Amino acid sequence: MKPYIELQNISKSFGKHEIIKNVSLCVEQGKTVGLIGANGSGKSVLFKILCGFERPDTGNVFVRGKQLGEGGMDFPENMGVFINSPGFIGIYSGFRNLKFLADIQGKIGDREIRDAMVKVGLDPDNTTKTDNYSLGMKQKLGLAQAIMENQDILVLDEPFNALDYKTYEDVKAIIRMLKAEGKTIFLTSHRFQDIEQLCDQIYTIEDCRLIPITDAIAARYREITDFDHYNP
Ligand SMILES: Nc1ncnc2c1ncn2[C@@H]1O[C@H](COP(=O)(O)OP(=O)(O)OP(=O)(O)O)[C@@H](O)[C@H]1O
């Protein structure tokens, strides 16, 4: 079967700083791929290359058989992206922010935006400015933005960051729901247990290489990322 997404021999450096080297990966539709690794190991850079936000020095990205950067396709179609906790216009409500973003593509209307907000547990009629949103609400709004156009590929870079226990469980449930809907998902988390519970394929980046997780590596990560979330 042809992979839904394929990275072929991707390498990327910033100046003399080599970040990733000869990374190849095949992903079938509907799979959830997890990436774990130390701070600065290159997880976000790899995700940005997949989304077309960064260009690799060498190598190719294929999404649904189409090569990124060829035929006018600079960004993959129908891909929802959550990288580095997206920024919003602070004086607008959550709905108005999403409406602003949705109007760029013009693919969806108010109903789809409202549905996405409800799906992640936000009230579309809440007029609170996003400046006054809690961190958890901002994370959920970021997820709503990533799914509102019914994107079938989702790239979620640390969606669990800095969440309290309740919101953390909510976000986990949202990702499970998206997985059950058959989305193809790329996920990072600093907590190996999240990755282990949610992902079908797990990799780490060590010494610039993408390595499939072995039992020995899993045991190591389980130990070093085994912290408990605040549980009131
Ligand atoms: N645009 C850039 N210019 C120069 N260096 C960069 C750029 N983007 C990332 N880097 C560097 O690339 C390395 C990998 O960064 P990346 O953000 O991918 O790490 P990460 O694995 O996602 O880390 P974390 O777990 O802390 O989020 C870091 O040393 C970072 O400083």
Side-chain angles (χ1 to χ4, degrees), residues 14 17 19 37-46 54 157-158 190:
F14 292 107
H17 186 183
I19 310 294
N39 289 128
S41 57
K43 303 180 295 295
S44 301
V45 169
L46 189 61
E54 289 278 3
D157 192 8
E158 296 185 23
H190 280 119

Side-chain angles (χ1 to χ4, degrees), residues 3 26 72 88 112-113 128 142 151 162 188:
C26 288
F88 293 104
E112 289 85 355
I113 298 170
T128 306
Q151 296 93 324
T188 66

Side-chain angles (χ1 to χ4, degrees), residues 93-100 110 113-114 117 124 133 141:
S93 69
F95 178 84
R96 198 161 166 213
N97 265 286
L98 295 190
K99 174 88 177 143
F100 175 78
D110 290 6
I113 298 170
R114 295 178 68 87
M117 291 185 77
Y133 265 30
L141 192 61

Side-chain angles (χ1 to χ4, degrees), residues 152-195:
D152 79 330
I153 302 172
L154 300 171
V155 177
L156 309 177
D157 192 8
E158 296 185 23
F160 304 114
N161 246 6
L163 299 179
D164 68 21
Y165 182 74
K166 165 77 175 67
T167 318
Y168 163 79
E169 288 297 334
D170 288 349
V171 169
K172 224 168 177 182
I174 293 164
I175 295 173
R176 282 206 183 93
M177 174 184 67
L178 296 166
K179 193 172 155 66
E181 286 174 3
K183 312 278 188 199
T184 306
I185 304 173
F186 291 80
L187 183 67
T188 66
S189 169
H190 280 119
R191 195 168 185 257
F192 183 66
Q193 282 78 352
D194 302 333
I195 296 288

